[in-house]
């Protein structure tokens, strides 16, 4: 066997092969056919996005798979999406803050209602000692007094309107809290789907890397046999390095989304390994566009917030008008007991005074220096602002719903098209592989065919995630993004856990 030197063999430096070298190269190529077949099987593995076996051999998998996170138990299943939504609903700090605000608004509403409608009773007691000096006479008078008064509102138009305004503000605070919950659930769901996409893209990239490594070994053997060129090896090696860089980027995305999920849910999160096998039937978790548009006025939190603000502004405007023009009428009653004991030159005489009164009290603001006029103009401006907010919220929710349903429809179309593209790319790759073995195609042609399959499957994963994200947006807009509504989507995700990167110490 001739001694082969390891020298650069570019396209322009290929030297004629001898008959012995050609025979040796042919034998090596024939022995490499099982490796090519195994590489094709590895690429075919990625067609089924939910298979549980690892596409990489043990050595490659150990080198590229990140270490488990601290505190993550081996063999522990992934954290369900509905469970994270339930945890975030209770643990998210912003949710707790808005809940406290809603309770405060409810308490203020109760205070305003009590001021406008409920009677008030007060009791007082006092004890005193009065000292008087009249010429040469000194008078000391100890005294005690007890009194009780009651006021019952008969007509307080301003306070009654203010009570209605406070009740509307309490309702507004409730919808603001629900809107924040929807935002938190949307943020968590987007982070979860982004992590799922990164995990599935990582699995595809590792499968592509495994196939490229098999191709690199074949090209290296062909180079050693004198049938290949160093360019084939370098081209394949470049593709391998690109996949490694892509895996590192996907690991960073996974770590970021993992931190977001744990922050929102307040618990340790284990992510699934990716998507399960391709689904021909998608669970129906959203209604039609027409039904969603009908539900939006009663379910969309920002729109209900704006409607409650209009009610608040209207009641406030009525209260300001009542303060300016209408009197307040109250029924009042009082009773008092005063006991005095004047002491004069050693003599004392107890005096007891009892007093009872009942009547009607009327108060009318005649002149306030322009304060009431200014408050009336303010309330009118706030009413116009609330109506503008209502119109804007209505337009936004309708546009957002139409966009989400359009995105969902387009994503489903892209899924169908990408499956066809994948089938065509797979058939092209098989034909090119046979032509490559026969020497009719170059290594670059084979790599490009592999890349077309990989790109088609990446686009398929992205389209599936876009379809899920569109449904998440629809549910969030209708205040339905909760554990019950996302539970039918959980079968779409892999049941195997994904090992996560260990937390780095800065």
């Amino acid at each position: 066997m001739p001694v082969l030197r390891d020298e650069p063999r570019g396209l322009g430096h290929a030297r004629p092969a001898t008959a012995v070298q050609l025979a040796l190269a042919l034998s090596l190529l024939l022995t490499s056919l099982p490796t090519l077949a195994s590489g094709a099987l590895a690429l075919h593995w990625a067609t089924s996005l939910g298979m549980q076996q690892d596409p990489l051999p043990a050595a490659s998998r150990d080198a590229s798979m990140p270490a488990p996170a601290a505190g993550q138990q081996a063999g522990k299943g992934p954290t369900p999406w509905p469970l994270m939504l339930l945890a975030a609903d209770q643990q998210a700090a912003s949710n707790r803050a808005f809940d406290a605000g809603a309770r405060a608004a409810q308490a203020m509403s109760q205070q305003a209602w009590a001021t406008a409608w409920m009677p008030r009773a007060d009791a007082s007691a006092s004890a005193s000692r009065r000292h008087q000096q009249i010429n040469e006479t000194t008078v000391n008078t100890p005294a005690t007094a007890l009194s009780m008064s009651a006021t019952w509102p008969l007509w307080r138009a301003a306070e009654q309107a203010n009570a209605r305004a406070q009740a509307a503000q309490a309702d507004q605070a409730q919808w603001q809290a629900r809107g924040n919950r929807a935002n938190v659930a949307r943020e968590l769901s987007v982070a979860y789907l982004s992590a799922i996409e990164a995990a599935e893209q990582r699995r595809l990239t590792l499968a592509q890397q495994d196939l490229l490594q098999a191709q690199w070994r074949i090209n290296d053997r062909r180079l050693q046999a004198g049938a290949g060129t160093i360019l084939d090896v370098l081209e394949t090696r470049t593709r391998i390095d690109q996949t490694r860089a892509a895996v590192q980027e996907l690991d960073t995305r996974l770590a970021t989304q993992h931190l977001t999920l744990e922050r929102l849910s307040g618990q340790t999160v284990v992510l699934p390994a990716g998507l399960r096998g391709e689904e021909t039937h998608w669970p129906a978790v959203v209604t039609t566009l027409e039904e969603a548009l009908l539900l939006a006025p009663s379910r969309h939190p920002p729109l209900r917030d704006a409607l409650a603000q209009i009610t608040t502004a209207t009641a406030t405007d009525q209260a300001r008008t009542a303060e300016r023009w209408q009197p307040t009428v109250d029924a009042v009653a009082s009773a008092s007991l005063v006991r005095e004991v004047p002491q004069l030159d050693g003599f004392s005489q107890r005096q007891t005074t009892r007093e009872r009164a009942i009547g009607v009290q009327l108060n009318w603001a005649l002149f306030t220096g322009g304060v009431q006029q200014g408050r009336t103009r303010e309330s009118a401006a706030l009413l116009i602002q609330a109506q503008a907010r209502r119109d804007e919220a209505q337009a936004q929710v309708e546009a957002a719903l139409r966009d989400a349903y359009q995105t969902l429809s387009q994503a489903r179309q892209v899924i169908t098209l990408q499956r066809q593209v994948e089938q065509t790319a797979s058939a092209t790759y098989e034909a090119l592989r046979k032509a490559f073995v026969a020497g009719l195609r170059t290594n670059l042609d084979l790599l490009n065919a592999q890349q077309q399959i990989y790109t088609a499957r990446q686009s398929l994963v992205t389209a599936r995630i876009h379809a899920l994200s569109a449904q998440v947006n629809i549910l969030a807009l209708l205040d339905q993004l909760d554990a019950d509504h996302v539970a039918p989507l959980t079968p779409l995700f892999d049941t195997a856990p994904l090992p996560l990167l260990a937390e780095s110490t800065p």
Side-chain angles (χ1 to χ4, degrees):
M1 181 179 297
V3 178
L4 299 179
R5 294 177 296 171
D6 188 8
E7 62 183 35
R9 298 177 183 272
L11 292 177
H13 296 82
R15 59 185 182 182
T18 63
V20 176
Q21 290 175 330
L22 289 176
L24 180 59
L26 182 59
S27 63
L28 287 174
L29 187 59
L30 291 176
T31 57
S32 300
L33 286 178
T35 305
L36 277 173
S38 64
L41 289 176
L43 190 63
H44 176 72
W45 164 90
T47 307
S48 178
L49 299 177
M51 296 181 65
Q52 303 300 321
Q53 66 265 28
D54 195 327
L56 289 177
S60 177
R61 180 172 61 252
D62 294 341
S64 60
M65 186 67 68
Q72 179 173 321
Q73 300 177 358
K76 184 178 179 181
T79 307
W81 184 8
L83 182 61
M84 286 189 286
L85 286 175
L86 290 174
D89 186 72
Q90 300 295 329
Q91 299 297 329
S94 59
N95 285 346
R96 290 185 278 114
F98 273 88
D99 288 344
R103 290 193 296 270
Q106 185 66 32
M108 294 178 63
S109 175
Q110 295 173 354
Q111 296 174 30
W113 182 85
T115 302
W117 299 101
M118 295 300 293
R120 176 173 178 173
D122 300 298
S124 63
S126 65
S128 63
R129 185 179 183 86
R130 187 167 65 250
H131 178 80
Q132 293 177 301
Q133 183 73 33
I134 304 174
N135 295 328
E136 300 297 331
T137 305
T138 301
V139 181
N140 294 317
T141 308
T144 57
L146 296 175
S147 65
M148 180 176 291
S149 62
T151 304
W152 194 300
L154 298 179
W155 177 254
R156 292 187 179 182
E159 283 78 0
Q160 293 169 5
N162 186 60
R164 294 193 297 271
Q166 290 293 340
Q169 285 184 353
D171 183 58
Q172 184 180 1
Q174 290 287 347
W175 280 106
Q176 288 174 352
R178 293 178 65 170
N180 185 77
R181 272 185 160 74
N183 291 335
V184 171
R186 187 205 301 261
E187 183 181 1
L188 184 143
S189 300
V190 169
Y192 182 76
L193 293 179
S194 179
I196 294 292
E197 180 183 11
E200 188 60 41
Q201 298 287 13
R202 185 181 188 277
R203 184 156 58 181
L204 287 175
T205 305
L206 290 176
Q208 175 73 0
Q209 186 181 103
D210 186 61
L211 181 59
L212 289 172
Q213 288 174 344
Q215 183 67 29
W216 177 81
R217 288 190 291 269
I218 293 173
N219 291 334
D220 186 64
R221 292 175 184 174
R222 294 178 67 246
L223 175 65
Q224 297 298 327
T229 66
I230 190 63
L231 182 60
D232 295 340
V233 176
L234 292 177
E235 287 173 347
T236 309
R237 187 66 186 180
T238 300
R239 301 290 179 97
I240 294 175
D241 292 338
Q242 289 174 346
T243 58
R244 289 176 176 172
V247 169
Q248 291 297 325
E249 181 181 357
L250 292 171
D251 286 342
T252 302
R253 284 180 55 190
L254 280 169
T256 300
Q257 302 305 329
H258 181 259
L259 290 175
T260 301
L261 292 172
E262 290 193 339
R263 173 180 61 85
L264 294 174
S265 64
Q267 63 180 5
T268 301
V269 173
V270 180
L271 292 172
L275 291 168
R276 194 172 281 184
E278 298 180 8
E279 295 289 336
T280 58
H281 174 70
W282 285 77
V285 297
V286 297
T287 62
T288 63
L289 175 59
E290 292 74 16
E291 293 176 348
L293 291 175
L294 292 176
L295 285 174
S298 61
R299 299 286 305 179
H300 185 54
L303 181 55
R304 292 303 305 268
D305 179 12
L307 292 173
Q309 185 180 4
I310 290 179
T311 305
T312 301
T314 302
T316 302
D317 184 64
Q318 294 172 354
R320 299 297 178 260
T321 303
E323 289 175 358
R324 184 177 181 183
W325 299 109
Q326 299 188 36
T328 61
V329 181
D330 301 318
V332 295
S334 64
S336 64
L337 174 63
V338 179
R339 181 171 295 171
E340 296 180 338
V341 186
Q343 298 176 356
L344 176 62
D345 295 334
F347 296 96
S348 62
Q349 183 180 1
R350 178 176 296 182
Q351 298 177 359
T352 301
T353 303
R354 292 181 176 86
E355 182 179 352
R356 295 181 179 87
I358 187 171
V360 176
Q361 180 177 332
L362 182 144
N363 294 320
W364 202 326
L366 298 179
F367 179 73
T368 58
V371 174
Q372 295 300 335
Q373 291 86 340
R375 288 163 65 87
T376 302
R377 290 194 300 270
E378 177 190 6
S379 62
L382 291 176
L383 178 58
I384 295 175
Q385 180 190 51
Q387 293 170 345
R389 278 197 60 204
R390 185 268 318 275
D391 296 340
E392 179 66 16
Q394 180 71 37
Q396 285 182 351
V397 67
E398 290 182 359
L401 283 172
R402 294 182 187 279
D403 180 68
Y405 275 95
Q406 182 178 358
T407 301
L408 177 59
S409 176
Q410 292 176 349
R412 289 175 175 173
Q413 293 176 4
V414 170
I415 290 173
T416 303
L417 293 176
Q418 287 301 327
R419 286 172 178 165
Q420 297 175 359
V421 171
E422 179 190 357
Q423 294 175 357
T424 304
S426 298
T428 302
Y429 169 75
E430 289 298 326
L432 280 172
R433 185 178 66 84
K434 295 177 182 179
F436 173 76
V437 173
L440 301 177
R441 288 290 183 176
T442 65
N443 176 71
L444 183 60
D445 294 333
L446 189 62
L447 294 179
N448 290 336
Q450 295 171 2
Q451 185 63 35
Q452 288 179 354
I453 299 177
Y454 174 61
T455 302
R457 288 167 182 168
Q458 276 189 318
S459 301
L460 178 59
V461 171
T462 301
R464 294 180 68 183
I465 295 297
H466 283 175
L468 290 171
S469 299
Q471 296 182 78
V472 165
N473 290 333
I474 293 170
L475 292 175
L477 289 170
L478 299 179
D479 193 29
Q480 295 177 342
L481 186 55
D482 52 29
D484 293 336
H485 284 86
V486 303
L489 298 177
T490 53
L492 300 177
F493 309 121
D494 204 334
T495 56
L498 173 71
L500 297 176
L501 286 172
E503 296 181 359
S504 59
T505 303

